[in-house]
């Protein structure tokens, strides 16, 4: 009689059961990444706390005046070398028309918040399935801007010594900037890079253009960040390159939302599917 032979079990390693925690973890992650119906009380609390935190951190960044002025001088030289240093001309031209520059001062002070909140409310009511993802873009944009304020203090053009910029808020006695007049001690004057006026307005404009149905509303969406760019330069609150910084922050915000949700916010379903139906396989715009 020959010796008994033992046949090894092929694929034994593959037959080992997976940890039982894998599936629940995947389900939890899927739930977190799936569109959910926003809750009004939570959104109000979240937005209020987020803006309070943003203001607190932004104003807690040390006002490094000497470094901020050096950075402003460097930005000004770079723009001259690029042939785009037109901020002073725009500032003086618009300042010569009193009603126009006064209107821009109030535009700078108010629409930055009013339009952003209006778009958030519109998203909440009309596009609940896209609300959380689009809001994430705005929050991530603002968060990375805070890093910029800390790492790169920058004085606005109106505070540059030796330059001929007009501080339009001071000259016309309006309250168009928290960093001018009696309110200047409530805001960090050297947090100009990146420009969140551009970051937020472009977020609003792209959201309206992508999701609005009426053509004239979509056009207004694109005109809003364009007008904001003119305003921030005409009031001498920002350089052109500050606007570029705002655009880059917004691109980061979209990248964060794209990684988390697996798609751009605007391609998610408009409505949240009822419980039990799950997430649609193909995002739709309607």
């Amino acid at each position: 009689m020959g010796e008994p032979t033992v046949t090894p079990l092929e694929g034994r390693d593959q037959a080992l059961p997976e940890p039982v925690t894998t599936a629940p973890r995947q389900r939890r992650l899927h739930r977190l990444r799936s569109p959910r119906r926003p809750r009004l009380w939570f959104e109000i609390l979240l937005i209020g706390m987020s803006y309070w935190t943003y203001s607190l951190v932004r104003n807690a960044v040390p006002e490094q005046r000497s470094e901020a002025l050096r950075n402003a001088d460097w930005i000004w030289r770079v723009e001259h070398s690029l042939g785009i240093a037109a901020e002073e001309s725009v500032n003086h031209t618009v300042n010569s028309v009193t009603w126009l520059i006064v209107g821009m001062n109030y535009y700078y002070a108010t629409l930055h918040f009013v339009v952003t909140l209006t778009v958030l409310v519109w998203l909440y009511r009309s596009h609940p399935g896209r609300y959380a993802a689009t809001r994430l873009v705005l929050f991530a944009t603002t968060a990375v801007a805070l890093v910029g304020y800390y790492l790169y203090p920058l004085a606005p053009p109106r505070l540059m010594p030796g330059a001929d910029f007009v501080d339009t808020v001071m000259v016309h006695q309006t309250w168009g900037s928290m960093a001018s007049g009696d309110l200047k001690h409530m805001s960090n004057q050297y947090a100009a890079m990146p420009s969140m006026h551009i970051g937020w307005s472009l977020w609003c404009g792209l959201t309206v253009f992508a999701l609005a149905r009426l053509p004239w509303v979509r056009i207004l969406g694109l005109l809003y960040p364009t007008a904001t760019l003119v305003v921030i330069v005409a009031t001498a609150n920002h350089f052109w390159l500050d606007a570029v910084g705002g655009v880059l922050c917004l691109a980061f915000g979209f990248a964060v939302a794209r990684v988390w949700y697996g798609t751009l916010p605007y391609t998610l379903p408009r409505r949240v599917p009822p419980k039990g139906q799950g997430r649609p396989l193909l995002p739709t715009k309607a």
Side-chain angles (χ1 to χ4, degrees):
M1 295 180 61
E3 295 182 359
T5 58
V6 178
T7 305
L9 296 176
E10 295 182 1
R12 183 174 181 177
D13 292 338
Q14 290 82 352
L16 292 176
E18 295 183 0
V20 294
T21 56
T22 301
R25 286 176 182 173
Q26 290 178 345
R27 286 196 294 270
R28 282 196 297 270
L29 182 60
H30 177 75
R31 284 197 299 268
L32 289 173
R33 298 176 66 182
S34 298
R36 288 181 290 178
R37 190 176 302 279
R39 292 167 291 180
L40 181 60
W41 68 268
F42 176 78
E43 294 302 326
I44 293 175
L45 180 63
L46 178 63
I47 292 172
M49 289 296 297
S50 298
Y51 183 72
W52 177 80
T53 304
Y54 165 75
S55 301
L56 183 67
V57 174
R58 182 181 187 272
N59 296 333
V61 174
E63 290 199 3
Q64 304 175 59
R65 183 176 184 275
S66 58
E67 185 177 354
L69 291 174
R70 283 197 302 270
N71 289 337
D73 184 63
W74 183 84
I75 290 283
W76 194 226
R77 290 199 310 270
V78 168
E79 290 195 349
H80 274 285
S81 66
L82 294 174
I84 61 172
E87 290 93 333
E88 196 173 281
S89 298
V90 174
N91 174 238
H92 282 265
T93 300
V94 178
N95 186 65
S96 65
V97 184
T98 302
W99 65 267
L100 182 58
I101 192 60
V102 169
M104 286 191 175
N105 283 341
Y106 289 123
Y107 179 115
Y108 187 89
T110 59
L111 292 193
H112 178 53
F113 306 103
V114 172
V115 175
T116 304
L117 287 174
T118 300
V119 173
L120 280 169
V121 171
W122 172 64
L123 280 170
Y124 177 88
R125 291 175 58 88
S126 301
H127 298 267
R130 299 162 180 155
Y131 175 84
T134 312
R135 188 239 292 137
L136 176 61
V137 174
L138 183 65
F139 280 26
T141 298
T142 306
V144 76
L146 290 173
V147 179
Y149 298 148
Y150 186 86
L151 297 179
Y152 196 80
L154 180 69
R158 60 186 174 75
L159 292 183
M160 291 178 64
D164 196 26
F165 287 99
V166 178
D167 188 334
T168 60
V169 173
M170 294 292 292
V171 169
H172 298 283
Q173 296 298 301
T174 58
W175 43 269
S177 173
M178 286 288 289
S180 294
D182 296 333
L183 298 177
K184 65 184 179 180
H185 300 297
M186 297 174 60
S187 179
N188 186 349
Q189 298 188 80
Y190 305 114
M193 172 65 85
S195 169
M196 279 299 93
H197 273 75
I198 292 300
W200 288 14
S201 67
L202 188 56
W203 175 86
C204 293
L206 291 176
T207 299
V208 171
F209 180 76
L211 301 180
R213 293 182 175 180
L214 296 175
W216 66 269
V217 176
R218 300 181 72 199
I219 292 173
L220 282 180
L222 294 182
L223 289 177
Y224 174 55
T226 304
T228 300
L229 177 62
V230 176
V231 167
I232 67 172
V233 171
T235 56
N237 280 295
H238 288 283
F239 297 99
W240 298 121
L241 291 181
D242 298 347
V244 175
V247 173
L248 293 176
C249 288
L250 182 62
F252 172 82
F254 274 108
V256 170
R258 175 67 174 81
V259 169
W260 182 251
Y261 286 96
T263 186
L264 291 176
Y266 308 139
T267 63
L268 289 168
R270 180 179 181 180
R271 301 289 179 185
V272 179
K275 275 189 175 183
Q277 291 189 10
R279 181 176 173 179
L281 295 177
L282 294 176
T284 59
K285 186 177 180 178

